Amino acid sequence: MNFFDILSLLGGLAMFLYGMRLMGDSLKENSSGTLKNVMEKVTDNPLTAFVLGIAVTALIQSSTATIVITSGLVGAGILTLHQSLGIIIGANVGTTVTGQIIRLLDLNTSGDTSFLRFFQPSTLAPIALIIGILLIMTGFFRNSRSIGNIAIGFGILFSGLLNMTSAVNALQQSGMVEEIFSGLGDNPFLGYLAGAGVAFVLQSSSATIGILQAFSAGGLLTFKAIYPIIVGVYLGDCVTTAIVCYIGANRESRRVGIVNILYNLSKSAMVLIAVAIIHQTGLLDNLWDARVNSGIIANTNTIFNLVCAVCLLPTIGLYERLSDRIVPKKKTEKSKYSEIFEGLRPVFFNTPALALNSCYEALQTMFTIARDNLNRAQQQIESYSKERYDTINAEEWELDKLTDHLSRYLVELLPHLQNEQNSAMLNQYYKESTEFERLGDQAVKIADIAAKLSENNTTFSKKCVGELKILQELIQDILKDSEEAFSGRDEEAASQIEPKVHVVNDLINEMTQNHLNRMSAGECSLLADAYFSNLMAEYKRIAGICSNTGMATLVRIHPELASREHRFLETLDENGDATYRTVLKETRKLVFDKLKEQEEGDGQQITLDDVLPEEQKA
């Protein structure tokens, strides 16, 4: 043994860990959104949840990631803790799949030119690397870069394993490896601590088992030396997971981490006791001192996890009750939007699709708050209510809090995005969060105008209120288009917004002229003039915000518009866009026909409650 052998071992370890990280991160980035949708549909059947936990972990190659995702869904109220228990146990079984893949190290086809040679790590590694680099450099399809990273990660992982195996073969000649593992075999407790320590440092049970499999290539490891190490890995990995689940989490999320620790402690105790009893009966005599290879290590890990899962799955209710006692309840005043806040957690940064989906749900909530506040503010103009005014300000306070929280979250999420599409989506989300917050501000300003009208005992004329009704109908229509455009990436709804905004500006100009005419004729109060002007300014701003929302949706659908948004809007009418001209013509006719009817009528007063959907009336 010399310095260069140790350097080769550590270099192989670095390649192995990096390959596993690259492959896992790429899998999570591309599949986490789909996984979330699947996990949300999990039933209260523990067996279904158990199978789901196995499948998800086998796909993303990380039990920690699966449990952290589950923790986030529980914290956000999407899953209950009871529903998550089966997923937790399944995740512990699913992580054994990596070991079964690594057991390809045992494949011996020396002198064989058969098809089996393709499954040797020395063949798989270069094939995966070649495929990966071709996908990254050529970009055959939309996700080719991400899939290429998965292939590159797989190739680096096996290259690292081969490097470690080669180094271990050199080190075994010194006798040091045999001496170390012989000592662990004589003292299972030391083996248990060694497994727990390495797993905790590497933050991966799969990586720790993989390293053990690489050392087995030298033919120096025995069953009595490796089984306590494997059991120790369970504890080290679950402690890491619990720490991640605790960071910035609520009580329910923390209970997920506690349940995982309790389950792994039970599993460790069960395996150690069972192995000791079976060994005493003599049933393990043939295996106890036998040399083990990577296949036996992989099978041992899989059997331990499967048997414990089958035995402990019926007792999951006990873990739920214990976690309730261990994690104390805190009496705190919860926000009505606390589930949205809980969805914006740093633990989702490693699964960008989940993090972006949480941002999307937060933005939908922000738009709903702002829209409902605008409806309340409109009602204030017609019939002032102190209670309604307080509600508007309370909801605005929640909207401001959510905006600040989401803005910080988006900034912190950005460095974790490797996919250009995700980065572009984040950029649009950041812009839209600002727009939705401004929309809420307009509601407060309209409510303030209504409050001043009430304080000064000032009212608008019946004709003015009738015209306001027409404007409000148009604003409601644009808000509906904006919501459909953002929520469903609806290009048709987004394309309807800009021509309708054009009509809003035309209508406000006409209403302003009518207001001046009424002022001259003495039909409108001079005291109401300033309030009317301010109100028109707020409506123009609301229309502008909706225009920005529609444009943001078009950019999400057509990213090439991102650098020329304003020019695109300016040229719609100039270029004679058919959809734009059609919507503009139809909307203008509809609105101005109503305005004409209003002017020709007898000025009968119509309340603004008439334009609001029934469920949105105060």
Side-chain angles (χ1 to χ4, degrees):
M1 179 188 70
N2 55 45
F3 169 76
F4 296 102
D5 293 330
I6 296 176
L7 188 63
S8 180
L9 176 65
L10 294 177
L13 175 61
M15 290 174 66
F16 173 76
L17 294 176
Y18 177 71
M20 181 169 287
R21 173 65 64 88
L22 180 62
M23 183 171 64
D25 287 350
S26 299
L27 283 165
K28 284 183 284 185
E29 183 163 9
N30 284 278
S31 61
S32 52
T34 303
L35 296 179
K36 177 181 181 292
N37 294 333
V38 172
M39 292 172 75
E40 285 178 355
K41 297 175 183 176
V42 67
T43 67
D44 288 324
N45 186 335
L47 186 59
T48 303
F50 172 69
V51 173
L52 179 62
I54 294 176
V56 171
T57 306
L59 176 63
I60 64 177
Q61 297 287 296
S62 173
S63 60
T64 298
T66 302
I67 295 172
V68 167
I69 291 172
T70 304
S71 169
L73 296 177
V74 171
I78 297 171
L79 292 179
T80 65
L81 178 67
H82 183 74
Q83 289 175 319
S84 74
L85 298 176
I87 298 176
I88 295 170
I89 295 177
N92 281 272
V93 176
T95 194
T96 63
V97 171
T98 306
Q100 295 295 341
I101 295 173
I102 294 174
R103 71 178 299 172
L104 291 172
L105 284 169
D106 291 339
L107 198 60
N108 185 7
T109 59
S110 56
D112 190 358
T113 58
S114 69
F115 179 70
L116 285 177
R117 291 197 64 179
F118 282 99
F119 294 96
Q120 283 186 297
S122 58
T123 306
L124 285 176
I127 288 176
L129 290 169
I130 292 169
I131 292 173
I133 197 64
L134 285 175
L135 287 172
I136 291 173
M137 293 180 68
T138 57
F140 287 123
F141 44 88
R142 195 174 107 185
N143 292 325
S144 61
R145 183 178 184 84
S146 298
I147 296 174
N149 282 333
I150 294 171
I152 290 285
F154 188 80
I156 293 175
L157 183 151
F158 270 114
S159 296
L161 275 173
L162 291 170
N163 216 39
M164 280 196 292
T165 301
S166 176
V168 167
N169 288 333
L171 288 172
Q172 67 177 329
Q173 299 175 5
S174 68
M176 186 181 71
V177 175
E178 186 174 12
E179 185 178 341
I180 290 174
F181 282 98
S182 175
L184 294 178
D186 294 334
N187 192 335
F189 182 70
L190 285 179
Y192 184 79
L193 291 180
V198 174
F200 179 77
V201 171
L202 297 182
Q203 300 181 21
S204 172
S205 59
S206 299
T208 309
I209 298 296
I211 293 170
L212 197 60
Q213 289 175 285
F215 271 92
S216 71
L220 301 177
L221 306 190
T222 61
F223 179 81
K224 70 177 181 180
I226 60 98
Y227 91 86
I229 298 175
I230 293 174
V231 177
V233 167
Y234 304 151
L235 176 64
D237 186 50
C238 75
V239 170
T240 302
T241 304
I243 292 172
V244 176
C245 289
Y246 253 74
I247 297 173
N250 64 7
R251 181 175 182 269
E252 292 304 299
S253 293
R254 292 176 179 180
R255 288 178 69 190
V256 171
I258 292 297
V259 166
N260 190 41
I261 288 181
L262 292 173
Y263 170 72
N264 277 280
L265 285 174
S266 302
K267 180 171 66 176
S268 299
M270 182 177 172
V271 171
L272 291 173
I273 293 171
V275 169
I277 293 174
I278 295 173
H279 177 53
Q280 290 301 318
T281 62
L283 295 177
L284 290 178
D285 287 350
N286 292 333
L287 181 62
W288 195 252
D289 291 310
R291 305 292 181 178
V292 296
N293 56 25
S294 64
I296 293 176
I297 293 173
N299 289 339
T300 300
N301 185 34
T302 302
I303 291 170
F304 283 172
N305 275 283
L306 270 177
V307 171
C308 289
V310 171
C311 294
L312 297 175
L313 191 61
T315 68
I316 56 176
L318 176 61
Y319 298 124
E320 186 176 7
R321 291 191 292 273
L322 285 173
S323 70
D324 185 57
R325 293 188 177 187
I326 293 172
V327 184
K329 295 181 180 179
K330 294 182 179 180
K331 293 183 179 180
T332 56
E333 185 178 345
K334 290 186 68 176
S335 164
K336 62 187 293 188
Y337 304 108
S338 58
E339 289 185 358
I340 301 299
F341 283 99
E342 289 298 333
L344 301 172
R345 295 182 53 203
V347 294
F348 288 146
F349 286 165
N350 289 327
T351 50
L354 275 179
L356 288 170
N357 188 75
S358 295
C359 296
Y360 169 75
E361 291 174 352
L363 284 167
Q364 283 187 307
T365 301
M366 288 172 61
F367 184 88
T368 301
I369 295 172
R371 183 203 62 203
D372 291 347
N373 252 5
L374 279 171
N375 293 337
R376 296 187 187 98
Q378 288 299 324
Q379 291 175 298
Q380 291 291 85
I381 296 291
E382 172 61 29
S383 175
Y384 183 79
S385 164
K386 179 64 168 63
E387 182 180 354
R388 191 187 295 130
Y389 183 77
D390 291 340
T391 300
I392 291 171
N393 282 291
E395 288 293 286
E396 173 64 14
W397 184 73
E398 293 283 359
L399 179 58
D400 287 343
K401 278 203 311 179
L402 189 52
T403 303
D404 292 341
H405 194 75
L406 177 61
S407 298
R408 287 196 301 270
Y409 189 79
L410 288 169
V411 171
E412 292 170 2
L413 172 61
L414 182 59
H416 298 270
L417 301 182
Q418 299 176 356
N419 188 304
E420 291 182 6
Q421 184 181 4
N422 286 342
S423 297
M425 186 182 298
L426 183 144
N427 185 41
Q428 292 303 317
Y429 281 178
Y430 191 86
K431 292 179 181 179
E432 287 174 54
S433 69
T434 303
E435 297 298 336
F436 295 167
E437 196 269 340
R438 287 179 58 215
L439 195 62
D441 290 342
Q442 304 313 124
V444 173
K445 290 176 181 178
I446 292 175
D448 288 339
I449 291 172
K452 291 176 181 177
L453 283 168
S454 177
E455 289 173 10
N456 296 321
N457 199 25
T458 304
T459 58
F460 294 126
S461 68
K462 292 180 180 180
K463 286 185 178 181
C464 182
V465 171
E467 291 179 354
L468 282 172
K469 172 187 178 294
I470 297 171
L471 177 59
Q472 173 62 8
E473 285 179 339
L474 182 54
I475 292 293
Q476 286 289 328
D477 191 29
I478 295 174
L479 285 170
K480 180 183 176 183
D481 287 335
S482 298
E483 184 173 21
E484 290 176 357
F486 173 74
S487 298
R489 290 183 64 186
D490 190 331
E491 185 172 4
E492 183 179 355
S495 64
Q496 301 271 323
I497 296 172
E498 193 59 31
K500 292 178 182 179
V501 168
H502 193 141
V503 177
V504 166
N505 293 326
D506 291 344
L507 178 58
I508 288 176
N509 291 336
E510 186 71 17
M511 288 174 62
T512 303
Q513 185 60 50
N514 291 344
H515 172 69
L516 291 174
N517 293 338
R518 288 192 295 269
M519 290 278 290
S520 299
E523 295 177 11
C524 280
S525 167
L526 290 172
L527 293 174
D529 179 51
Y531 301 129
F532 178 85
S533 298
N534 290 338
L535 197 57
M536 293 302 101
E538 301 309 330
Y539 280 128
K540 277 192 174 183
R541 292 189 183 102
I542 291 170
I545 291 168
C546 291
S547 173
N548 293 339
T549 301
M551 190 65 237
T553 300
L554 292 175
V555 170
R556 283 166 60 196
I557 299 170
H558 304 289
E560 66 274 10
L561 296 177
S563 60
R564 51 188 182 92
E565 298 175 27
H566 296 293
R567 182 58 187 157
F568 173 77
L569 294 176
E570 290 171 1
T571 55
L572 277 177
D573 194 25
E574 296 172 9
N575 295 337
D577 181 82
T579 301
Y580 181 91
R581 285 188 289 108
T582 300
V583 175
L584 178 64
K585 182 178 179 180
E586 291 176 352
T587 306
R588 179 179 281 149
K589 183 178 185 308
L590 178 65
V591 168
F592 279 85
D593 281 352
K594 288 182 180 180
L595 189 63
K596 186 176 180 181
E597 291 174 9
Q598 171 69 24
E599 292 173 350
E600 293 175 351
D602 59 3
Q604 181 180 358
Q605 185 170 353
I606 303 174
T607 66
L608 288 170
D609 272 349
D610 295 336
V611 305
L612 297 178
E614 193 65 35
E615 67 274 8
Q616 293 178 5
K617 293 179 182 179

